Amino acid sequence: MSMLSVLWEPFVTFGFMRRALVATITLGMGAGPVGVLLQLRRMSLIGDAMSHAILPGAAIGYLLAGGLSLVAMGLGGIVAGLGVAMLAGMVSRRTHLAEDANFASFYLTSLALGVLIVSARGSNIDLLHVLFGTILAIDAPALYLMGGITTLSIGLLSVIWRPLVMECVDPGFLRMTGTRGAVYHMVFLFLVVINLVAGFEALGTLMSVGMMMVPAATARLWTRRLLPMMALSACVGMAAGYMGLVVSYYFQLAAGPCIILTCSTAYVVSLLASPAGIRTRGGSSPSRSN
């Protein structure tokens, strides 16, 4: 068997593998650029918090649909994630607590509530599907939802590109010029939430943020230019999704963890070989990241 046939045989033979491949490619295209902006805005841990905050909405969608309806759970996750983002922002403006502290408090509450709802009304298998995803069970409606989220993400990024970049570089400038920085911030959080929901469809709440943050971290090691960084992040996510599915197929392993571990492998290789990696810095003291 040739190498080419080894790489394509799972997708030619099985329809569920083809759907999983389309899902990972779609997810990488949308989540990669958003992950880059999250890192540049020093909000990586907030992205992790948001990935868990969608769980109660997904659990309620599970109950209303009477089972694992990915569309119903995805819409519920969007509502829950946006609700947590708005609550955290409102509390941070009215108290002395920082926004990341409020996100941590709300996401832990949301995670516990979501697990409680699913475990009380469903089985352990349902709970595992919610937490770790069902990428090999992706159906056509879920693919349509993920494709719509990716299209919306790329479209919104192109429309509000300049304010988002300016907020990354100098957020005080937007306030000084009277630009509605808070509006753009909420739109960006909306992009984070919907891409996490798309990742939740495939990888579950515990690993959905991995497809967003790990490729972005890998891309930052290779370039300091924003557009190439976003493009490279998307390419790393898509390639890792493909290779993770191939590894999971031939070694009979869970597909979701294989995808994230493939992303992590690319990150470790980049740490060792990239221009900004560990080896090039030698024994010098680490510089402050931009």
Side-chain angles (χ1 to χ4, degrees):
M1 183 181 292
S2 66
M3 179 61 67
L4 185 60
S5 61
V6 169
L7 294 176
W8 283 110
E9 192 266 339
F11 309 102
V12 173
T13 306
F14 300 104
F16 68 88
M17 291 293 292
R18 290 194 293 271
R19 290 189 293 271
L21 178 61
V22 173
T24 56
I25 290 175
T26 303
L27 181 59
M29 290 176 60
V34 175
V36 168
L37 288 174
L38 264 177
Q39 291 199 0
L40 293 178
R41 294 159 67 99
R42 297 177 175 87
M43 294 174 62
S44 299
L45 294 180
I46 290 180
D48 181 57
M50 295 295 294
S51 70
H52 302 307
I54 66 177
L55 185 54
I60 293 174
Y62 165 83
L63 293 179
L64 293 178
L68 289 169
S69 171
L70 296 182
V71 175
M73 294 168 67
L75 293 176
I78 291 175
V79 174
L82 291 177
V84 168
M86 294 178 66
L87 281 173
M90 181 182 67
V91 172
S92 64
R93 287 192 297 270
R94 294 175 179 266
T95 66
H96 67 279
L97 290 176
E99 189 176 29
D100 58 346
N102 290 312
F103 267 110
S105 301
F106 282 117
Y107 106 76
L108 289 171
T109 304
S110 300
L111 180 62
L113 180 61
V115 171
L116 183 64
I117 292 173
V118 176
S119 60
R121 295 298 184 94
S123 65
N124 290 334
I125 295 177
D126 294 333
L127 181 59
L128 288 175
H129 285 171
V130 170
L131 294 178
F132 298 104
T134 54
I135 188 168
L136 297 182
I138 292 289
D139 55 8
L143 286 178
Y144 296 149
L145 179 62
M146 296 175 69
I149 287 174
T150 298
T151 302
L152 179 61
S153 296
I154 295 175
L156 281 178
L157 282 176
S158 64
V159 171
I160 61 173
W161 170 258
R162 290 183 181 274
L164 284 181
V165 174
M166 182 56 65
E167 194 175 14
C168 291
V169 176
D170 187 4
F173 177 79
L174 291 180
R175 293 192 295 268
M176 291 175 58
T177 58
T179 307
R180 297 181 178 273
V183 174
Y184 294 117
H185 183 68
M186 288 306 301
V187 173
F188 177 69
L189 288 179
F190 171 74
L191 289 176
V192 174
V193 170
I194 61 176
N195 279 278
L196 288 174
V197 167
F200 158 79
E201 304 282 1
L203 303 172
T205 59
L206 295 184
M207 292 187 295
S208 60
V209 72
M211 200 68 166
M212 181 179 292
M213 302 311 304
V214 182
T218 303
R220 284 197 70 186
L221 292 170
W222 289 98
T223 179
R224 297 176 65 88
R225 298 176 59 191
L226 188 54
L227 283 177
M229 192 184 301
M230 288 184 167
L232 182 57
S233 177
C235 291
V236 169
M238 291 187 287
Y242 167 72
M243 289 305 301
L245 288 173
V246 172
V247 170
S248 70
Y249 175 80
Y250 284 108
F251 290 93
Q252 301 296 306
L253 299 171
C258 285
I259 292 172
I260 301 303
L261 287 175
T262 305
C263 291
S264 300
T265 301
Y267 172 68
V268 172
V269 170
S270 298
L271 281 177
L272 298 175
S274 68
I278 296 173
R279 186 178 62 181
T280 58
R281 291 184 178 269
S284 61
S285 59
S287 62
R288 183 179 177 182
S289 59
N290 293 323

